[in-house]
């Protein structure tokens, strides 16, 4: 990927439904925990890949329903479509590769001979994918017969259930781990089991802003917005110590531009924050950040860019955020926020800017 200076430090390739996304977790806590881990420690030098059977249409639907990060690579439609980055630029080379010896008309013709197959919706019928529903009890017989028909026409396929494969091949294999935790939490567990890097999510650190060693600008912004979420939810102590800590983070002459365009001093933010303690207590309120990047623009001065998402009840909004921060002379691993600028992501403006604080 162009944003990396060299090889990726780590690449995670994950399915979505019941792998990265736990549909039984209504609070999406395991996913939010993974998000904080990835953005704090891995985004700047690693690759995140989503590989899903979903078509682009229902993949986008899932992104509206769940707090999914933006992957570097998205593999969709059972591997037949590959795109890159936020703009989802298609891999034309992969398309050309699949075109070789692929005849969609033959597949449609042969599958039409099996009344047990019920076509999925039009959105799931893709250039290199023909999709059907099939009752589980009939699946084995139909798949076996259909595979033979397609093989006789020159297109073949192989599929093996993962759990069966694990039972037959993975026992006592040190290079394969069977996670005991669910979905995204299991992915974090695997990171720890293989010693691939940090695997404790910032969300699992109770005190997210005081006496925490800051490792990078990305780690800094993740920890700050976790503090902000917990402060608004009333999940931490309403302590003057937190306010004093913020005073050491926000520069005395720093400023913040609200997405509405209003320019405020950072001292005004510090003054207002105590009045907002617990304002979202008992409400479905979550904050997460996505696509964090940072660069040293001059000696000891860092520009950090990210998307800041805020879910309040059923309202989901996002701001494109930039923070200019300086390393502290007496503590290079600590930062002072000099300037914060936010602008609405298209479609996130809403009717009222007031609820959006920082």
């Amino acid at each position: 990927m162009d944003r990396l200076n060299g090889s990726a430090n780590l690449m995670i390739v994950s399915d979505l439904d019941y792998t990265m996304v736990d549909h039984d977790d209504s609070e999406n806590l395991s996913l939010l925990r993974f998000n904080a881990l990835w953005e704090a420690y891995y985004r700047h030098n690693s690759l995140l890949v989503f590989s899903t059977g979903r078509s682009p249409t229902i993949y986008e639907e899932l992104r509206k329903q769940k707090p999914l990060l933006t992957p570097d690579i998205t593999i969709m439609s059972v591997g037949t479509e590959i795109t890159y980055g936020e703009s989802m630029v298609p891999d034309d080379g992969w398309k050309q590769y699949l075109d070789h010896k692929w005849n969609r008309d033959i597949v449609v013709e042969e599958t039409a001979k099996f009344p047990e197959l019920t076509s999925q919706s039009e959105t799931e019928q893709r250039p290199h994918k023909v999709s059907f529903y099939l009752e589980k009890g009939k699946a084995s017989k139909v798949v076996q017969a259909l595979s033979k028909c397609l093989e006789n026409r020159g297109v073949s396929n192989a599929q093996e259930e993962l759990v069966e494969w694990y039972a037959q091949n993975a026992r006592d294999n040190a290079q394969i781990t069977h996670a005991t935790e669910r979905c995204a939490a299991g992915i974090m567990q695997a990171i720890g089991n293989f010693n691939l890097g940090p695997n404790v999510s910032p969300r699992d650190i109770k005190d997210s802003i005081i006496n925490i060693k800051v490792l990078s600008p990305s780690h800094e912004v993740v920890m700050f917005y976790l503090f902000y979420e917990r402060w608004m939810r009333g999940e931490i102590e309403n302590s003057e110590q937190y306010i004093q800590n913020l005073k050491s983070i926000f520069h005395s002459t720093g400023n913040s531009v609200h997405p509405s365009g209003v320019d405020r001093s950072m001292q005004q933010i510090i003054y207002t924050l105590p009045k907002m303690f617990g304002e979202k207590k008992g409400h479905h309120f979550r904050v997460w950040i996505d696509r964090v990047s940072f660069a040293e623009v001059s000696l000891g001065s860092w520009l950090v860019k990210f998307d800041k998402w805020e879910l309040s009840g059923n309202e989901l909004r996002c701001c494109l955020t930039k923070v200019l921060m300086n390393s502290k002379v007496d503590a290079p691993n600590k930062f002072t926020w000099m300037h914060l600028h936010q602008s609405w992501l298209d479609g996130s403006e809403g009717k009222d800017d007031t609820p959006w604080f920082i």
Side-chain angles (χ1 to χ4, degrees):
M1 299 295 291
D2 292 341
R3 68 175 182 80
L4 299 181
N5 294 325
S7 300
N9 181 59
L10 172 68
M11 181 168 71
I12 288 183
V13 182
S14 174
D15 189 12
L16 291 177
D17 298 290
Y18 290 103
T19 303
M20 180 63 73
V21 178
D22 187 351
H23 291 283
D24 295 331
D25 179 7
S26 60
E27 293 289 323
N28 300 308
L29 288 180
S30 65
L31 189 55
L32 289 168
R33 289 172 60 216
F34 175 83
N35 291 359
L37 177 73
W38 188 260
E39 297 299 327
Y41 297 110
Y42 293 102
R43 172 70 79 173
H44 67 288
N45 65 4
S46 298
L47 293 176
L48 180 63
V49 182
F50 290 159
S51 180
T52 177
R54 288 175 176 253
S55 69
T57 300
I58 60 174
Y59 166 67
E60 288 297 338
E61 290 177 2
L62 184 65
R63 286 185 61 84
K64 294 175 183 177
Q65 299 165 2
K66 298 291 183 179
L68 280 170
L69 295 180
T70 301
D72 298 286
I73 304 172
T74 312
I75 304 171
M76 297 166 288
S77 302
V78 202
T80 62
E81 297 181 73
I82 301 176
T83 63
Y84 299 94
E86 178 194 17
S87 300
M88 299 182 69
V89 178
D91 188 328
D92 291 332
W94 181 243
K95 178 182 179 299
Q96 293 173 10
Y97 177 82
L98 292 180
D99 282 340
H100 183 61
K101 292 187 177 180
W102 164 253
N103 188 320
R104 196 177 193 280
D105 292 338
I106 289 178
V107 177
V108 172
E109 181 184 331
E110 291 298 327
T111 52
K113 299 175 182 178
F114 293 83
E116 299 91 342
L117 297 175
T118 303
S119 292
Q120 293 183 359
S121 65
E122 195 62 32
T123 63
E124 301 313 291
Q125 310 305 326
R126 307 296 296 174
H128 297 95
K129 180 171 79 78
V130 186
S131 294
F132 301 92
Y133 294 111
L134 176 61
E135 292 181 17
K136 189 172 182 179
K138 302 177 181 178
S140 179
K141 182 179 179 180
V142 171
V143 169
Q144 185 176 5
L146 178 59
S147 296
K148 186 173 294 186
C149 292
L150 293 173
E151 188 174 354
N152 291 336
R153 296 291 299 270
V155 182
S156 60
N157 187 34
Q159 181 175 343
E160 196 170 15
E161 292 296 330
L162 181 60
V163 174
E164 291 181 11
W165 184 93
Y166 176 84
Q168 296 172 10
N169 300 280
R171 296 191 184 281
D172 302 321
N173 187 334
Q175 295 182 315
I176 297 175
T177 184
H178 189 175
T180 57
E181 296 198 42
R182 291 175 57 86
C183 300
I187 295 173
M188 292 189 291
Q189 184 182 13
I191 291 174
N193 288 347
F194 290 121
N195 298 312
L196 300 176
N199 74 313
V200 177
S201 172
R203 280 190 174 272
D204 297 331
I205 300 173
K206 298 301 181 184
D207 197 335
S208 60
I209 197 170
I210 296 178
N211 299 323
I212 297 296
K213 182 180 179 181
V214 174
L215 303 176
S216 67
S218 58
H219 186 261
E220 167 94 359
V221 296
V222 169
M223 300 307 280
F224 170 76
Y225 282 106
L226 277 176
F227 157 76
Y228 170 66
E229 177 193 293
R230 290 166 176 170
W231 182 267
M232 297 292 285
R233 287 170 59 96
E235 293 179 343
I236 55 179
E237 183 183 356
N238 186 356
S239 168
E240 178 64 22
Q241 187 179 7
Y242 288 111
I243 303 303
Q244 292 303 317
N245 192 72
L246 286 180
K247 289 180 178 179
S248 72
I249 294 176
F250 289 170
H251 196 271
S252 58
T253 62
N255 72 311
S256 169
V257 178
H258 189 272
S260 64
V262 175
D263 196 325
R264 303 172 294 170
S265 71
M266 288 187 171
Q267 293 304 305
Q268 183 180 357
I269 293 174
I270 295 173
Y271 173 77
T272 307
L273 195 60
K275 303 176 183 179
M276 303 180 70
F277 179 81
E279 189 175 281
K280 298 294 184 178
K281 188 173 183 178
H283 292 76
H284 188 38
F285 178 76
R286 293 294 180 186
V287 176
W288 67 95
I289 62 175
D290 183 21
R291 298 198 307 131
V292 179
S293 66
F294 59 89
E296 192 171 17
V297 293
S298 62
L299 185 62
S301 183
W302 299 84
L303 180 63
V304 192
K305 300 179 182 180
F306 53 94
D307 299 341
K308 183 239 175 175
W309 289 88
E310 191 170 293
L311 176 65
S312 183
N314 294 321
E315 185 177 32
L316 180 63
R317 306 173 83 179
C318 177
C319 266
L320 309 180
T321 307
K322 298 178 182 178
V323 177
L324 180 65
M325 56 178 66
N326 290 341
S327 300
K328 294 185 177 181
V329 177
D330 57 340
N333 286 331
K334 292 187 177 181
F335 302 92
T336 301
W337 294 37
M338 307 298 297
H339 176 72
L340 184 149
H341 188 281
Q342 294 186 312
S343 58
W344 291 120
L345 179 71
D346 289 344
S348 286
E349 296 87 345
K351 296 181 180 179
D352 186 4
D353 289 336
T354 307
W356 190 275
F357 181 62
I358 186 173

